[in-house]
Amino acid sequence: MRYYQCEKYPIEFVLSENIDKCFDCHNHVGNYVISLVMQGEVTVYLESRKFVCHEGDAFTIPPYAVHSVCQERDARLLSMCIGTAFAAETDSETAEVIVRELLNDAVGQGIFGEAQKEKLLPFARAVFRGWDKGGKEMDAGIKILTDKITCYPEQELSIETLAADIFVSKYYLIRKFRNSVGMTPHQFCIQNRIRKSQRLLDEEKTISRIAAEMGFYDQSHFDKAFQKIVGISPSEYIHSKKQIGQST
């Protein structure tokens, strides 16, 4: 896997290839993800629906949408991740200009070709013009908890504490949370610890320090959780990153 990150805007491209993996059910809280199959076949399970995507097929994963992706070794999947805050706060015309320039930079760097750029652009345009229509409805109490976990995933938040925050029983919370988010509070917390860890790795902190800061038992525990969710190890992630469109 290779990551191409824009330094100025919360936009990145991820190229997944030479992997044989089925990512467990998860969601992306802070991003819209637009994916394009460049080669082979990719199976996507999105909100209990199954899609088999072939070369040239593209799909969008909205924030909080629970999904899993199964990719065989001969498949190549290109994903464009766009920050939700950027999509919400930037007018559609400006956002489209920024993305178009980034796509042109990516083509110029040989990350993908002109055909892939033309496939991604209308999906990005749809995100910018309709971002407020694609959000997932969520109970107000559960939204409070997901925001808290997303901001502070390293904190040890027991089920009892979370339930007390919104004045419900822990059994009701677990059932309601799973129905709303698609996973248990613990699974959601681990997922967001890893997402925050990726940002900390972008700041060039050491892996062992991040593992400790994020509340993992040790670096081995952190490595296993990271590999399960991201698909590669923390050290592989560090070496896979490149900057793109810094002058945009």
Side-chain angles (χ1 to χ4, degrees):
M1 297 179 72
R2 285 176 282 166
Y3 292 79
Y4 301 89
Q5 300 173 329
C6 176
E7 187 175 50
K8 191 173 181 180
Y9 303 103
I11 299 172
E12 72 174 359
F13 300 101
V14 183
L15 184 59
S16 305
E17 56 186 353
N18 300 319
I19 62 172
D20 187 359
K21 184 175 178 62
C22 188
F23 291 90
D24 292 340
C25 286
H26 63 286
N27 56 31
H28 301 278
V29 175
N31 291 287
Y32 289 89
V33 180
I34 303 167
S35 293
L36 171 66
V37 181
M38 297 177 65
Q39 177 180 301
E41 180 180 291
V42 174
T43 303
V44 182
Y45 298 88
L46 175 60
E47 300 287 11
S48 302
R49 293 173 293 167
K50 177 181 177 181
F51 303 91
V52 179
C53 302
H54 302 90
E55 183 174 335
D57 291 340
F59 55 91
T60 301
I61 306 293
Y64 279 101
V66 177
H67 63 286
S68 65
V69 178
C70 295
Q71 180 176 342
E72 296 184 358
R73 188 166 296 277
D74 65 343
R76 299 181 73 215
L77 184 67
L78 172 66
S79 296
M80 181 179 186
C81 305
I82 302 172
T84 54
F86 174 79
E89 296 165 3
T90 309
D91 69 88
S92 60
E93 290 185 4
T94 301
E96 185 175 336
V97 169
I98 291 169
V99 167
R100 186 185 293 275
E101 291 181 1
L102 281 173
L103 289 168
N104 286 333
D105 287 343
V107 172
Q109 293 184 29
I111 299 170
F112 48 81
E114 191 72 24
Q116 286 75 41
K117 183 194 83 172
E118 294 302 322
K119 280 277 189 177
L120 290 171
L121 188 57
F123 281 85
R125 186 181 298 122
V127 165
F128 296 132
R129 294 182 179 180
W131 68 270
D132 56 339
K133 299 176 184 177
K136 184 174 182 178
E137 292 294 329
M138 188 177 297
D139 176 87
I142 298 300
K143 185 65 167 62
I144 290 171
L145 298 184
T146 58
D147 287 347
K148 183 175 184 178
I149 294 171
T150 301
C151 291
Y152 308 104
E154 66 275 17
Q155 292 185 359
E156 288 294 339
L157 300 170
S158 68
I159 290 294
E160 289 78 10
T161 298
L162 292 172
D165 282 349
I166 59 172
F167 309 104
V168 298
S169 73
K170 64 179 183 179
Y171 304 106
Y172 178 85
L173 169 63
I174 292 172
R175 183 173 67 254
K176 187 73 173 178
F177 198 98
R178 185 189 289 275
N179 289 339
S180 298
V181 184
M183 58 189 75
T184 67
H186 176 72
Q187 290 170 327
F188 187 73
C189 179
I190 295 298
Q191 171 188 279
N192 282 281
R193 284 186 181 184
I194 296 302
R195 300 299 183 207
K196 189 169 183 177
S197 296
Q198 288 179 269
R199 297 195 296 274
L200 295 176
L201 287 169
D202 292 341
E203 299 172 5
E204 299 183 353
K205 291 188 177 183
T206 64
I207 295 173
S208 58
R209 179 181 173 184
I210 292 171
E213 288 182 2
M214 287 296 100
F216 290 94
Y217 303 129
D218 51 34
Q219 188 173 326
S220 176
H221 181 214
F222 173 59
D223 286 352
K224 289 178 181 177
F226 195 99
Q227 176 106 24
K228 182 178 181 181
I229 291 173
V230 181
I232 54 178
S233 70
S235 59
E236 288 173 326
Y237 174 76
I238 291 171
H239 291 102
S240 72
K241 296 183 300 173
K242 294 183 179 180
Q243 294 293 329
I244 182 174
Q246 295 185 55
S247 62
T248 303

